[in-house]
Amino acid sequence: DVKVTQSSRYLVKRTGEKVFLECVQDMDHENMFWYRQDPGLGLRLIYFSYDVKMKEKGDIPEGYSVSREKKERFSLILESASTNQTSMYLCASSPSSWGEDGYTFGSGTRLTVV
Amino acid sequence: ELKVEQNPLFLSMQEGKNYTIYCNYSTTSDRLYWYRQDPGKSLESLFVLLSNGAVKQEGRLMASLDTKARLSTLHITAAVHDLSATYFCAVIRGAQKLVFGQGTRLTINP
């Protein structure tokens, strides 16, 4: 019954590496989102997408990019990982018809940059 | 800029007690969500509140919304250990973007 899948639960990467975080949803949702979660800061929006090939910056896009080549897949890219990008990354999706359910979240990827 | 603030950020309480988590937000919104997160897990939707005066209850949790005061509360009645988790409120901004509070880490001790 998995609906939003993030490919890795834990990742350790070196400073300067290019990092790809993958998210796939099987609910045919139009909207997809990437958040990072840090203690005391809650969840902050990095990027979102309302449709294939479409992307918009959230509140903290610096150092990140995204790709959405297919409706079901939304990738977050760290072009050159830095230690301040160590965090929990959460992917979410929602339908374009904004019902009561809100977002469906993936299980998260805990990224450590060393 | 929409800001969402929760308090308290940390709450340690005894089983059987009642307590309330508060969620304030800075600009008008017509939809507010409460989520629960267990350690190491993702977020699970608890409630959506759609209008002023809305109240929803599930077991020992009750959420309410006052849009005029820009305030939502999550009330815990006769707390049990299983309710230990981090609770987030989130408010709609623009087209389907959610802005989250900082989270309240709730620990319920036997």
Side-chain angles (χ1 to χ4, degrees), chain B residues 16-43:
Chain B
K17 300 289 188 183
N18 302 333
Y19 210 82
T20 301
I21 299 170
Y22 297 89
C23 173
N24 288 92
Y25 54 99
S26 59
T27 62
T28 301
S29 179
D30 59 0
R31 192 177 294 242
L32 186 140
Y33 292 82
W34 283 97
Y35 287 88
R36 168 182 172 145
Q37 185 181 38
D38 292 304
K41 301 289 180 65
S42 190
L43 276 72

mmCIF file of all heavy atoms in Angstrom, chain B residues 16-43:
data_model
loop_
_atom_site.group_PDB
_atom_site.id
_atom_site.type_symbol
_atom_site.label_atom_id
_atom_site.label_comp_id
_atom_site.label_asym_id
_atom_site.label_seq_id
_atom_site.Cartn_x
_atom_site.Cartn_y
_atom_site.Cartn_z
ATOM 1 N N GLY B 16 -2.705 10.448 31.641
ATOM 2 C CA GLY B 16 -3.946 10.803 32.308
ATOM 3 C C GLY B 16 -4.228 12.290 32.375
ATOM 4 O O GLY B 16 -5.363 12.694 32.667
ATOM 5 N N LYS B 17 -3.221 13.116 32.056
ATOM 6 C CA LYS B 17 -3.415 14.570 32.117
ATOM 7 C C LYS B 17 -3.930 15.106 30.790
ATOM 8 O O LYS B 17 -3.843 14.447 29.751
ATOM 9 C CB LYS B 17 -2.088 15.269 32.452
ATOM 10 C CG LYS B 17 -1.489 14.856 33.776
ATOM 11 C CD LYS B 17 -2.293 15.388 34.946
ATOM 12 C CE LYS B 17 -1.565 15.127 36.246
ATOM 13 N NZ LYS B 17 -2.370 15.583 37.422
ATOM 14 N N ASN B 18 -4.443 16.341 30.861
ATOM 15 C CA ASN B 18 -4.912 17.037 29.659
ATOM 16 C C ASN B 18 -3.941 18.149 29.313
ATOM 17 O O ASN B 18 -3.362 18.771 30.222
ATOM 18 C CB ASN B 18 -6.286 17.661 29.905
ATOM 19 C CG ASN B 18 -7.315 16.641 30.326
ATOM 20 O OD1 ASN B 18 -7.220 15.465 29.998
ATOM 21 N ND2 ASN B 18 -8.294 17.093 31.094
ATOM 22 N N TYR B 19 -3.802 18.393 28.023
ATOM 23 C CA TYR B 19 -2.978 19.541 27.641
ATOM 24 C C TYR B 19 -3.363 20.010 26.248
ATOM 25 O O TYR B 19 -4.070 19.313 25.529
ATOM 26 C CB TYR B 19 -1.478 19.211 27.698
ATOM 27 C CG TYR B 19 -0.659 20.436 28.035
ATOM 28 C CD1 TYR B 19 -0.514 20.855 29.361
ATOM 29 C CD2 TYR B 19 -0.051 21.192 27.040
ATOM 30 C CE1 TYR B 19 0.219 21.987 29.675
ATOM 31 C CE2 TYR B 19 0.676 22.325 27.350
ATOM 32 C CZ TYR B 19 0.816 22.714 28.660
ATOM 33 O OH TYR B 19 1.531 23.834 28.968
ATOM 34 N N THR B 20 -2.884 21.224 25.895
ATOM 35 C CA THR B 20 -3.233 21.839 24.614
ATOM 36 C C THR B 20 -1.980 22.354 23.923
ATOM 37 O O THR B 20 -1.115 22.972 24.558
ATOM 38 C CB THR B 20 -4.215 23.003 24.816
ATOM 39 O OG1 THR B 20 -5.404 22.509 25.448
ATOM 40 C CG2 THR B 20 -4.582 23.640 23.479
ATOM 41 N N ILE B 21 -1.901 22.086 22.625
ATOM 42 C CA ILE B 21 -0.849 22.655 21.772
ATOM 43 C C ILE B 21 -1.495 23.765 20.940
ATOM 44 O O ILE B 21 -2.591 23.584 20.407
ATOM 45 C CB ILE B 21 -0.260 21.571 20.849
ATOM 46 C CG1 ILE B 21 0.371 20.446 21.681
ATOM 47 C CG2 ILE B 21 0.753 22.170 19.894
ATOM 48 C CD1 ILE B 21 0.755 19.227 20.864
ATOM 49 N N TYR B 22 -0.773 24.885 20.825
ATOM 50 C CA TYR B 22 -1.312 26.040 20.121
ATOM 51 C C TYR B 22 -0.578 26.268 18.808
ATOM 52 O O TYR B 22 0.640 26.075 18.722
ATOM 53 C CB TYR B 22 -1.189 27.292 20.998
ATOM 54 C CG TYR B 22 -1.984 27.198 22.270
ATOM 55 C CD1 TYR B 22 -1.431 26.646 23.425
ATOM 56 C CD2 TYR B 22 -3.298 27.652 22.314
ATOM 57 C CE1 TYR B 22 -2.171 26.550 24.592
ATOM 58 C CE2 TYR B 22 -4.039 27.561 23.483
ATOM 59 C CZ TYR B 22 -3.470 27.003 24.610
ATOM 60 O OH TYR B 22 -4.211 26.904 25.765
ATOM 61 N N CYS B 23 -1.347 26.712 17.821
ATOM 62 C CA CYS B 23 -0.779 26.998 16.504
ATOM 63 C C CYS B 23 -1.311 28.352 16.045
ATOM 64 O O CYS B 23 -2.516 28.489 15.810
ATOM 65 C CB CYS B 23 -1.175 25.901 15.519
ATOM 66 S SG CYS B 23 -0.708 26.219 13.807
ATOM 67 N N ASN B 24 -0.431 29.324 15.950
ATOM 68 C CA ASN B 24 -0.797 30.656 15.473
ATOM 69 C C ASN B 24 -0.241 30.868 14.078
ATOM 70 O O ASN B 24 0.875 30.435 13.772
ATOM 71 C CB ASN B 24 -0.194 31.731 16.389
ATOM 72 C CG ASN B 24 -0.877 31.793 17.728
ATOM 73 O OD1 ASN B 24 -0.454 31.139 18.670
ATOM 74 N ND2 ASN B 24 -1.932 32.568 17.819
ATOM 75 N N TYR B 25 -0.984 31.557 13.231
ATOM 76 C CA TYR B 25 -0.488 31.860 11.895
ATOM 77 C C TYR B 25 -0.765 33.324 11.570
ATOM 78 O O TYR B 25 -1.677 33.934 12.118
ATOM 79 C CB TYR B 25 -1.080 30.916 10.846
ATOM 80 C CG TYR B 25 -2.582 30.832 10.824
ATOM 81 C CD1 TYR B 25 -3.328 31.557 9.906
ATOM 82 C CD2 TYR B 25 -3.267 29.995 11.701
ATOM 83 C CE1 TYR B 25 -4.698 31.460 9.866
ATOM 84 C CE2 TYR B 25 -4.641 29.900 11.675
ATOM 85 C CZ TYR B 25 -5.356 30.624 10.752
ATOM 86 O OH TYR B 25 -6.721 30.540 10.722
ATOM 87 N N SER B 26 0.051 33.873 10.680
ATOM 88 C CA SER B 26 0.133 35.334 10.570
ATOM 89 C C SER B 26 -0.798 35.960 9.539
ATOM 90 O O SER B 26 -1.082 37.158 9.631
ATOM 91 C CB SER B 26 1.573 35.748 10.250
ATOM 92 O OG SER B 26 1.995 35.153 9.037
ATOM 93 N N THR B 27 -1.233 35.204 8.534
ATOM 94 C CA THR B 27 -2.123 35.795 7.528
ATOM 95 C C THR B 27 -3.311 34.877 7.296
ATOM 96 O O THR B 27 -3.278 33.704 7.641
ATOM 97 C CB THR B 27 -1.388 36.033 6.192
ATOM 98 O OG1 THR B 27 -0.949 34.773 5.675
ATOM 99 C CG2 THR B 27 -0.189 36.936 6.370
ATOM 100 N N THR B 28 -4.311 35.428 6.683
ATOM 101 C CA THR B 28 -5.570 34.697 6.499
ATOM 102 C C THR B 28 -5.356 33.410 5.711
ATOM 103 O O THR B 28 -4.641 33.385 4.716
ATOM 104 C CB THR B 28 -6.574 35.589 5.754
ATOM 105 O OG1 THR B 28 -6.784 36.771 6.519
ATOM 106 C CG2 THR B 28 -7.893 34.865 5.572
ATOM 107 N N SER B 29 -5.986 32.358 6.171
ATOM 108 C CA SER B 29 -5.974 31.088 5.445
ATOM 109 C C SER B 29 -7.256 30.356 5.756
ATOM 110 O O SER B 29 -7.818 30.504 6.844
ATOM 111 C CB SER B 29 -4.770 30.237 5.848
ATOM 112 O OG SER B 29 -4.789 28.995 5.159
ATOM 113 N N ASP B 30 -7.734 29.578 4.798
ATOM 114 C CA ASP B 30 -9.013 28.901 5.020
ATOM 115 C C ASP B 30 -8.863 27.402 5.198
ATOM 116 O O ASP B 30 -9.832 26.653 5.084
ATOM 117 C CB ASP B 30 -9.972 29.187 3.859
ATOM 118 C CG ASP B 30 -9.406 28.719 2.518
ATOM 119 O OD1 ASP B 30 -8.293 28.175 2.496
ATOM 120 O OD2 ASP B 30 -10.087 28.913 1.504
ATOM 121 N N ARG B 31 -7.632 26.983 5.503
ATOM 122 C CA ARG B 31 -7.447 25.540 5.634
ATOM 123 C C ARG B 31 -6.228 25.299 6.519
ATOM 124 O O ARG B 31 -5.156 25.849 6.264
ATOM 125 C CB ARG B 31 -7.215 24.933 4.258
ATOM 126 C CG ARG B 31 -7.293 23.437 4.201
ATOM 127 C CD ARG B 31 -7.113 22.980 2.767
ATOM 128 N NE ARG B 31 -8.230 23.417 1.932
ATOM 129 C CZ ARG B 31 -9.046 22.593 1.309
ATOM 130 N NH1 ARG B 31 -8.899 21.296 1.462
ATOM 131 N NH2 ARG B 31 -10.007 23.059 0.542
ATOM 132 N N LEU B 32 -6.409 24.456 7.516
ATOM 133 C CA LEU B 32 -5.312 24.168 8.431
ATOM 134 C C LEU B 32 -5.261 22.668 8.680
ATOM 135 O O LEU B 32 -6.294 22.021 8.864
ATOM 136 C CB LEU B 32 -5.498 24.920 9.761
ATOM 137 C CG LEU B 32 -4.347 24.833 10.760
ATOM 138 C CD1 LEU B 32 -4.116 26.169 11.435
ATOM 139 C CD2 LEU B 32 -4.537 23.735 11.773
ATOM 140 N N TYR B 33 -4.053 22.130 8.688
ATOM 141 C CA TYR B 33 -3.836 20.700 8.878
ATOM 142 C C TYR B 33 -3.041 20.449 10.156
ATOM 143 O O TYR B 33 -2.185 21.255 10.543
ATOM 144 C CB TYR B 33 -3.045 20.109 7.705
ATOM 145 C CG TYR B 33 -3.792 20.084 6.399
ATOM 146 C CD1 TYR B 33 -3.853 21.210 5.591
ATOM 147 C CD2 TYR B 33 -4.446 18.940 5.974
ATOM 148 C CE1 TYR B 33 -4.546 21.195 4.398
ATOM 149 C CE2 TYR B 33 -5.144 18.909 4.777
ATOM 150 C CZ TYR B 33 -5.192 20.044 3.990
ATOM 151 O OH TYR B 33 -5.875 20.022 2.807
ATOM 152 N N TRP B 34 -3.330 19.322 10.773
ATOM 153 C CA TRP B 34 -2.491 18.792 11.841
ATOM 154 C C TRP B 34 -1.933 17.448 11.389
ATOM 155 O O TRP B 34 -2.661 16.605 10.856
ATOM 156 C CB TRP B 34 -3.287 18.601 13.131
ATOM 157 C CG TRP B 34 -3.541 19.876 13.871
ATOM 158 C CD1 TRP B 34 -4.668 20.652 13.837
ATOM 159 C CD2 TRP B 34 -2.643 20.526 14.776
ATOM 160 N NE1 TRP B 34 -4.521 21.750 14.646
ATOM 161 C CE2 TRP B 34 -3.298 21.688 15.243
ATOM 162 C CE3 TRP B 34 -1.360 20.242 15.254
ATOM 163 C CZ2 TRP B 34 -2.701 22.566 16.147
ATOM 164 C CZ3 TRP B 34 -0.772 21.107 16.157
ATOM 165 C CH2 TRP B 34 -1.440 22.264 16.598
ATOM 166 N N TYR B 35 -0.603 17.284 11.642
ATOM 167 C CA TYR B 35 0.089 16.049 11.296
ATOM 168 C C TYR B 35 0.775 15.503 12.540
ATOM 169 O O TYR B 35 1.162 16.243 13.441
ATOM 170 C CB TYR B 35 1.165 16.294 10.236
ATOM 171 C CG TYR B 35 0.657 16.566 8.848
ATOM 172 C CD1 TYR B 35 0.339 17.859 8.442
ATOM 173 C CD2 TYR B 35 0.503 15.525 7.932
ATOM 174 C CE1 TYR B 35 -0.120 18.110 7.160
ATOM 175 C CE2 TYR B 35 0.052 15.776 6.641
ATOM 176 C CZ TYR B 35 -0.254 17.071 6.269
ATOM 177 O OH TYR B 35 -0.707 17.302 4.997
ATOM 178 N N ARG B 36 0.971 14.202 12.500
ATOM 179 C CA ARG B 36 1.728 13.524 13.552
ATOM 180 C C ARG B 36 2.945 12.870 12.904
ATOM 181 O O ARG B 36 2.860 12.311 11.803
ATOM 182 C CB ARG B 36 0.860 12.454 14.211
ATOM 183 C CG ARG B 36 1.636 11.510 15.113
ATOM 184 C CD ARG B 36 0.779 10.448 15.711
ATOM 185 N NE ARG B 36 1.598 9.465 16.412
ATOM 186 C CZ ARG B 36 1.247 8.830 17.508
ATOM 187 N NH1 ARG B 36 0.040 9.058 18.047
ATOM 188 N NH2 ARG B 36 2.054 7.967 18.087
ATOM 189 N N GLN B 37 4.086 12.919 13.634
ATOM 190 C CA GLN B 37 5.299 12.253 13.167
ATOM 191 C C GLN B 37 5.905 11.448 14.304
ATOM 192 O O GLN B 37 6.268 12.005 15.344
ATOM 193 C CB GLN B 37 6.323 13.259 12.641
ATOM 194 C CG GLN B 37 7.546 12.594 12.023
ATOM 195 C CD GLN B 37 8.563 13.602 11.527
ATOM 196 O OE1 GLN B 37 8.787 14.640 12.143
ATOM 197 N NE2 GLN B 37 9.182 13.311 10.393
ATOM 198 N N ASP B 38 6.026 10.143 14.116
ATOM 199 C CA ASP B 38 6.723 9.296 15.076
ATOM 200 C C ASP B 38 8.214 9.330 14.767
ATOM 201 O O ASP B 38 8.601 9.557 13.608
ATOM 202 C CB ASP B 38 6.182 7.873 15.015
ATOM 203 C CG ASP B 38 4.755 7.819 15.529
ATOM 204 O OD1 ASP B 38 4.531 8.253 16.678
ATOM 205 O OD2 ASP B 38 3.859 7.373 14.783
ATOM 206 N N PRO B 39 9.060 9.069 15.762
ATOM 207 C CA PRO B 39 10.516 9.155 15.546
ATOM 208 C C PRO B 39 10.973 8.305 14.363
ATOM 209 O O PRO B 39 10.622 7.131 14.249
ATOM 210 C CB PRO B 39 11.081 8.622 16.869
ATOM 211 C CG PRO B 39 10.028 8.917 17.876
ATOM 212 C CD PRO B 39 8.719 8.751 17.156
ATOM 213 N N GLY B 40 11.724 8.921 13.466
ATOM 214 C CA GLY B 40 12.256 8.212 12.311
ATOM 215 C C GLY B 40 11.237 7.900 11.234
ATOM 216 O O GLY B 40 11.564 7.228 10.250
ATOM 217 N N LYS B 41 10.037 8.383 11.402
ATOM 218 C CA LYS B 41 8.977 8.086 10.435
ATOM 219 C C LYS B 41 8.530 9.352 9.705
ATOM 220 O O LYS B 41 8.944 10.457 10.030
ATOM 221 C CB LYS B 41 7.764 7.475 11.165
ATOM 222 C CG LYS B 41 8.066 6.200 11.920
ATOM 223 C CD LYS B 41 8.324 5.044 10.990
ATOM 224 C CE LYS B 41 8.626 3.748 11.719
ATOM 225 N NZ LYS B 41 7.490 3.267 12.508
ATOM 226 N N SER B 42 7.643 9.141 8.747
ATOM 227 C CA SER B 42 7.145 10.274 7.988
ATOM 228 C C SER B 42 5.937 10.908 8.682
ATOM 229 O O SER B 42 5.573 10.531 9.797
ATOM 230 C CB SER B 42 6.779 9.822 6.588
ATOM 231 O OG SER B 42 6.510 10.938 5.779
ATOM 232 N N LEU B 43 5.329 11.878 8.021
ATOM 233 C CA LEU B 43 4.195 12.583 8.603
ATOM 234 C C LEU B 43 2.887 11.909 8.233
ATOM 235 O O LEU B 43 2.663 11.548 7.078
ATOM 236 C CB LEU B 43 4.161 14.038 8.119
ATOM 237 C CG LEU B 43 5.029 15.023 8.872
ATOM 238 C CD1 LEU B 43 6.495 14.813 8.574
ATOM 239 C CD2 LEU B 43 4.619 16.451 8.559
#
